[in-house]
Amino acid sequence: MLNAVGREIPDEILKLTGKEPFQGNNYKEGVEYRKQGPIVKPVMDHNTSKMVSSIREALEKCGAHDGMTLGFHHHFREGDLIVNMVMKEVHDMGIRDVTICASSLGKAHDPLLEYIEDGTITGIESSGVRGKIGEAISHGKLKKPAIMRSHGGRVRAIQSGETIIDISFIGAPTCDDYGNCKGIGGKSDCGVLSYSFVDGQHANKVVAVTDCLVPFPNFPADVAMTRVDYVCVVDAIGIPEKIATGAAKPTTDTRKIMMADYCTQVVINTPYFKEGFSYQTGVGGASIASAALLAKIMEERGIKMGFAVGGMSKGMVDMLDKGLVGKLLDTQDFDLFAVNSVKHPNHHRISAGAYANPFNKGSFVNKLDYVVLAALEVDTHFNCNVVVGSDGIITGAQGGHPDAAQGAKCTIVICPLLQGRIPAICTDVTTVTTPGESIDVVVTDYGVAVNPARQDLLEALKKADCVPLRTIEELRDIAYDIVGTPQPVKFGERIVGIIEGRDGTIMDVVREVK
Amino acid sequence: MLNAVGREIPDEILKLTGKEPFQGNNYKEGVEYRKQGPIVKPVMDHNTSKMVSSIREALEKCGAHDGMTLGFHHHFREGDLIVNMVMKEVHDMGIRDVTICASSLGKAHDPLLEYIEDGTITGIESSGVRGKIGEAISHGKLKKPAIMRSHGGRVRAIQSGETIIDISFIGAPTCDDYGNCKGIGGKSDCGVLSYSFVDGQHANKVVAVTDCLVPFPNFPADVAMTRVDYVCVVDAIGIPEKIATGAAKPTTDTRKIMMADYCTQVVINTPYFKEGFSYQTGVGGASIASAALLAKIMEERGIKMGFAVGGMSKGMVDMLDKGLVGKLLDTQDFDLFAVNSVKHPNHHRISAGAYANPFNKGSFVNKLDYVVLAALEVDTHFNCNVVVGSDGIITGAQGGHPDAAQGAKCTIVICPLLQGRIPAICTDVTTVTTPGESIDVVVTDYGVAVNPARQDLLEALKKADCVPLRTIEELRDIAYDIVGTPQPVKFGERIVGIIEGRDGTIMDVVREVK
């Protein structure tokens, strides 16, 4: 059947997954559910030790078995060593049919290809994948359809019991012998551990893996001892230079600078731009440039931001240091400036759930005034695609995109009109990952389009006469005029991936690439 | 049947409650259970408001009904206005058969007597009760047996689903419109909200009640917006001068000073007294005097405490200010010094669960080296009673007594030999609330007794020759010689209260007073 973004969701996949098709952003608002309760093994005896000598011992003590689901977080990004380390041990133990439920997977995890091919790994649930895993999924090598969900959606899936994690492995830059894990300190410093909070709360077994054991209590902990069954010390959990990279250089790309300027103009000329406004931005060149421009105007006008939320990088840290923002609510650190800023008293660590879980009683994204996001494609229904490349291969991640986009009062997507020879503004995105009803403004290098559902914003921008306004169809037409109408990707029949809506409904399916 | 502390637990009460008799401290160590998952009503729509105009509206929106269980915390202590305010409304709505599950109840709640007598309230679960509620229970006025459990035990009962809280009311000194609750700030400042964390996590509905609404986000929150359904602003939630009282005056009671000195000698002459040791103490005169003596010796010897945990007052705050303790892990603030210290970067708020829940994967009490506690009675089996007066009336609270006593490596109970004309050291306590296996050393004004199970401690103290050592029987005999053998309290047959062990087993029963 057709879902609310006009995508055909085959009955077979609804049956297979027990899911519903996407029916609009607030379909599940106020619909009560019961949270999943994990199985807990109490530690009352003060003589009980949690230390294990190897990943193997941890797996054995946790009852690792065929068909299990393992949880991982991605705060070490392309420097992550944990997933491969654990999966090698799982493979060597002869365990099969494992599902990986990770907050994200990247090129660092290319070595998993072997385990996908030999049946060790048959399921993947992630915000997204890149590199060889994405190719493998798109070429039909994974037994089960991969599930791609947002950061908030992962928390929802785990809290609602849709995904039961048997064992979660938490890479902890510092940890004590009782399992108090922190993202800060040690040699694999990643700042925060926000994505793993839910694993601590809901996985049946939790293993902390660290390369820096510190004295008890490692407090305040990101994931607390009360949630951790075992502690394992290994040589290295991450490759530092690939975890938190240096600062992104200021962009010199005139196209990006133009889009940054349009974006800033949109922000400052819409009604939410006032003392105490809230804001989230990404780490693309245009987003960073826009944040810098915005900071300048805030200083000039004496307007301060109440809070910023999401992944953090130099731009927001600079604002905090200048006193331009009240609080940073941090889920991920993209550079060393952000990592080092975590010690600032107004730089707070929050869980992915507090950030974006649609099924709690209100998350921070609901309180956002503005979010600035990127996209691979935006279509004339304002639907966005951030996961599937124009070649049909899975190569990106939802991240917090659908979460912040729904939550914010004004959601701005920055997207150059063309990605090389491919129109990024198009009639229909290859795959819908964020529904058009969440998107308010699209900023391109050829002008700015406002979602017709937001006449209030359109009027404000018209009145300000600050950016070249176009309809989304006009932008699409310009793109098609330049590079021609694109040919749709040729997919096969087999469904290899599911794009999950925040609320667990099916937003779209991804088919095998021919 | 007889339980592990030799108390007769009638089969009828085992059947009625579905509980087991107490079988020793570590009976449930490692026994897996499934955590209760609360019912959650998601808030996804950013237009949803949580504000309600009255307690009545909150009760109605939460579906208040006959037979429901309500949760409350006791951080406002004798200045609490929330329980009475909510119960008046419940009564006026004609709702009956309500169970109150509070972290504690005191004389502030005397007005509830009327609701006990008229059947509005038929069940009470609490750490303890004082005043008219205690008298009412002991005289058989409450329909169901009252359940008295420790602070850790309450968390266990709620997390395990033994107690399902339908609606919890969280008195919040500051709160924003989305339900972020803090114990600090406002006009009813109580410092921390540790006992209510579990209500936020497991109650089906959560109402924040505040007399100081602050701008969003009131962060970092003690109980987060993600857990809160409704926010209600009222005129006053507490009486400030009864919440956090002034500092306890240094004791001049020579008996207390002597016991303080013995206690300090026990600490410094046992093997856990070394750099980084951990410690908890109470707020009795002797405990406070002992902490002051200890601080002096620590300064002289250059020994620092790693962490202190539990309820906080001036003594520990002074140690923190002098740099004598690494971290204060705070569950309750007894005086204004403690309240004001919460802003210190090493003064941390922790949940009652992290403090003492026996059914998580290890709580802070498990990591205690020393705890110094008081008791109404200690018997020759080292069993303690902290709940039932020598007249048989319920008049005290377990608090964290059984939790810290089991957790600590060296548990010291300070107890004057005589309470007026009543021997506090006796053959059998009136009611067992903490089992003797948890108690290592008993300090009295007539000497110090070491539990024979701890020959290591006895040897250390003998070697140090620092305190007058007696057997517990010798102390009992001295008491009986002075005031005569006490007559046991005359109880009726009816069971009016259950003293629950930390793990949910039955430690003892309390019978109606004739």
Side-chain angles (χ1 to χ4, degrees), chain A residues 361-410:
Chain A
K361 297 171 182 176
S363 49
F364 277 109
V365 293
N366 298 6
K367 288 285 195 177
L368 271 174
D369 290 317
Y370 297 97
V371 61
V372 179
L373 299 165
L376 297 172
E377 298 174 329
V378 183
D379 70 20
T380 49
H381 317 283
F382 289 84
N383 297 320
C384 294
N385 167 27
V386 295
V387 170
V388 179
S390 55
D391 55 358
I393 303 283
I394 299 175
T395 188
Q398 292 198 41
H401 199 285
D403 301 310
Q406 175 176 354
K409 293 189 186 69
C410 180

Side-chain angles (χ1 to χ4, degrees), chain A residues 25-48 50 159 164 177-178 180 182 200-201 203-206 216-220 225-229 306-307 327-329 348-350 353-355 357-368 406-409 502-503, chain B residues 25-46 48 50 159 164 177-178 180 182 200-201 203-206 216-220 225-229 306-307 327-329 348-350 353-355 357-368 406-410 502-503:
Chain A
N25 267 346
N26 291 322
Y27 173 55
K28 297 283 188 184
E29 168 77 15
V31 179
E32 291 185 347
Y33 73 102
R34 184 177 290 283
K35 263 194 194 171
Q36 183 261 353
I39 293 166
V40 177
K41 191 172 171 180
V43 176
M44 299 176 68
D45 186 334
H46 60 208
N47 294 313
T48 303
K50 297 188 182 183
Q159 284 199 343
I164 308 269
D177 69 338
Y178 227 41
N180 287 300
K182 267 195 205 178
Q201 286 164 349
N204 287 329
K205 296 286 177 200
V206 179
F216 183 91
N218 190 28
F219 195 87
M225 62 188 188
T226 55
R227 317 284 195 175
V228 174
D229 294 277
F307 70 90
K327 291 179 166 73
L328 298 190
L329 307 174
H348 300 285
R349 306 169 285 184
I350 62 167
Y355 167 52
N357 174 14
F359 271 23
N360 66 30
K361 297 171 182 176
S363 49
F364 277 109
V365 293
N366 298 6
K367 288 285 195 177
L368 271 174
Q406 175 176 354
K409 293 189 186 69
R502 296 182 73 206
D503 61 3
Chain B
N25 268 347
N26 290 322
Y27 173 54
K28 296 283 187 185
E29 167 77 13
V31 179
E32 291 185 349
Y33 72 102
R34 185 178 288 282
K35 264 195 193 170
Q36 184 260 351
I39 293 166
V40 177
K41 192 173 171 180
V43 176
M44 298 175 69
D45 186 335
H46 60 210
T48 302
K50 297 186 182 184
Q159 284 199 343
I164 308 270
D177 69 337
Y178 227 41
N180 287 299
K182 266 193 205 177
Q201 287 164 347
N204 287 329
K205 295 285 177 205
V206 179
F216 182 91
N218 191 28
F219 195 87
M225 61 187 188
T226 55
R227 317 283 195 177
V228 174
D229 293 278
F307 70 91
K327 289 180 168 70
L328 298 190
L329 307 175
H348 299 284
R349 307 168 287 182
I350 63 167
Y355 168 51
N357 173 14
F359 271 22
N360 65 30
K361 296 172 183 174
S363 48
F364 277 111
V365 293
N366 298 6
K367 287 286 196 176
L368 272 175
Q406 176 177 353
K409 292 189 185 72
C410 179
R502 298 181 73 206
D503 60 2

Side-chain angles (χ1 to χ4, degrees), chain A residues 232-487:
Chain A
C232 182
V233 179
V234 298
D235 290 339
I237 57 174
I239 303 167
E241 61 273 22
K242 293 187 180 176
I243 299 172
T245 46
K249 282 180 195 153
T251 184
T252 52
D253 182 332
T254 51
R255 216 172 46 145
K256 286 183 183 166
I257 291 171
M258 190 194 296
M259 291 192 291
D261 182 46
Y262 291 167
C263 178
T264 308
Q265 289 299 322
V266 170
V267 170
I268 67 172
N269 288 296
T270 40
Y272 313 114
F273 183 65
K274 55 188 177 197
E275 183 63 24
F277 76 106
S278 55
Y279 183 81
Q280 177 182 339
T281 190
V283 286
S287 305
I288 287 180
S290 174
L293 286 171
L294 184 64
K296 203 162 158 267
I297 294 164
M298 288 165 64
E299 276 189 301
E300 284 165 12
R301 301 198 188 170
I303 288 179
K304 282 180 193 155
M305 196 183 287
F307 70 90
V309 69
M312 294 296 157
S313 61
K314 186 170 187 297
M316 294 316 305
V317 169
D318 285 348
M319 281 206 206
L320 183 69
D321 289 341
K322 284 181 187 168
L324 288 174
V325 52
K327 291 179 166 73
L328 298 190
L329 307 174
D330 184 350
T331 58
Q332 188 176 3
D333 293 323
F334 290 110
D335 60 29
L336 288 171
F337 294 92
V339 167
N340 293 329
S341 168
V342 173
K343 63 182 181 297
H344 190 292
N346 289 323
H347 186 147
H348 300 285
R349 306 169 285 184
I350 62 167
S351 68
Y355 167 52
N357 174 14
F359 271 23
N360 66 30
K361 297 171 182 176
S363 49
F364 277 109
V365 293
N366 298 6
K367 288 285 195 177
L368 271 174
D369 290 317
Y370 297 97
V371 61
V372 179
L373 299 165
L376 297 172
E377 298 174 329
V378 183
D379 70 20
T380 49
H381 317 283
F382 289 84
N383 297 320
C384 294
N385 167 27
V386 295
V387 170
V388 179
S390 55
D391 55 358
I393 303 283
I394 299 175
T395 188
Q398 292 198 41
H401 199 285
D403 301 310
Q406 175 176 354
K409 293 189 186 69
C410 180
T411 297
I412 303 167
V413 170
I414 298 182
C415 186
L417 198 73
L418 302 170
Q419 309 264 19
R421 294 288 300 165
I422 311 288
I425 310 297
C426 53
T427 306
D428 285 295
V429 289
T430 308
T431 306
V432 180
T433 60
T434 299
E437 66 172 302
S438 296
I439 309 300
D440 300 306
V441 181
V442 176
V443 170
T444 76
D445 40 348
Y446 285 76
V448 173
V450 177
N451 191 325
R454 294 303 301 272
Q455 289 297 317
D456 57 330
L457 297 179
L458 184 60
E459 286 309 314
L461 295 177
K462 268 187 187 165
K463 198 174 155 195
D465 193 23
C466 56
V467 288
L469 290 166
R470 303 269 178 274
T471 67
I472 192 80
E473 291 81 5
E474 285 170 350
L475 290 174
R476 184 256 335 255
D477 291 345
I478 298 170
Y480 285 15
D481 280 349
I482 299 171
V483 293
T485 303
Q487 292 302 310

Side-chain angles (χ1 to χ4, degrees), chain B residues 317-328:
Chain B
V317 169
D318 286 348
M319 280 206 205
L320 183 68
D321 289 342
K322 285 182 187 166
L324 288 174
V325 52
K327 289 180 168 70
L328 298 190

Side-chain angles (χ1 to χ4, degrees), chain A residues 153-171:
Chain A
R154 179 175 188 263
V155 180
R156 177 207 54 74
I158 295 169
Q159 284 199 343
S160 67
E162 185 180 310
T163 293
I164 308 269
I165 297 182
D166 294 289
I167 315 171
S168 191
F169 288 85
I170 297 177

Side-chain angles (χ1 to χ4, degrees), chain B residues 72 101-103 149-158 195 198-199:
Chain B
F72 297 101
C101 176
S103 53
R149 47 171 75 109
S150 70
H151 290 327
R154 180 175 188 264
V155 180
R156 176 206 56 73
I158 296 169
Y195 300 119
V198 69
D199 297 66

